[in-house]
Amino acid sequence: MSADVVPIACLERIKDDVSKKYGGGKAATATANSLNKEFGPSPKLKQQMQYCVDHPEEISKLSNVKARVSEVKGVMMENIEKVRSM
């Protein structure tokens, strides 16, 4: 596992949190910096980043699981397409 995985997984975790909080509404139509007041340099963002720093092994495990799920999903989609083609 490369050293890049933890920072990327941390950013994905923050993205997921923003999507849960603002998904379908503000996040979908937000312009640059428009959510800074609500989510920008905030205690919540700092908390997310600190969690990633304090728990790199958990973030790494989560990233591995997501990668495996994505891989399995890809294989399943290929298999579905093969069955449809028959």
Side-chain angles (χ1 to χ4, degrees):
M1 169 146 319
S2 73
D4 297 340
V5 171
V6 172
I8 291 169
C10 185
L11 290 173
E12 287 176 356
R13 181 181 166 93
I14 293 168
K15 181 185 118 196
D16 290 345
D17 193 40
V18 170
S19 295
K20 285 177 190 170
K21 188 171 183 180
Y22 302 108
K26 290 182 182 181
T29 59
T31 59
N33 302 319
S34 66
L35 297 176
N36 279 357
K37 188 173 185 179
E38 295 177 60
F39 199 82
S42 69
K44 181 68 174 175
L45 183 58
K46 185 176 180 179
Q47 177 186 10
Q48 289 281 2
M49 293 175 73
Q50 190 62 50
Y51 182 86
C52 293
V53 169
D54 293 343
H55 302 92
E57 67 287 340
E58 185 176 325
I59 298 298
S60 183
K61 286 178 187 176
L62 180 61
S63 182
N64 280 336
V65 169
K66 283 184 175 184
R68 289 182 185 163
V69 167
S70 181
E71 184 179 330
V72 169
K73 181 180 173 184
V75 170
M76 290 175 65
M77 295 299 287
E78 288 176 17
N79 290 340
I80 290 170
E81 287 302 316
K82 287 178 185 175
V83 169
R84 284 184 180 171
S85 301
M86 296 180 137

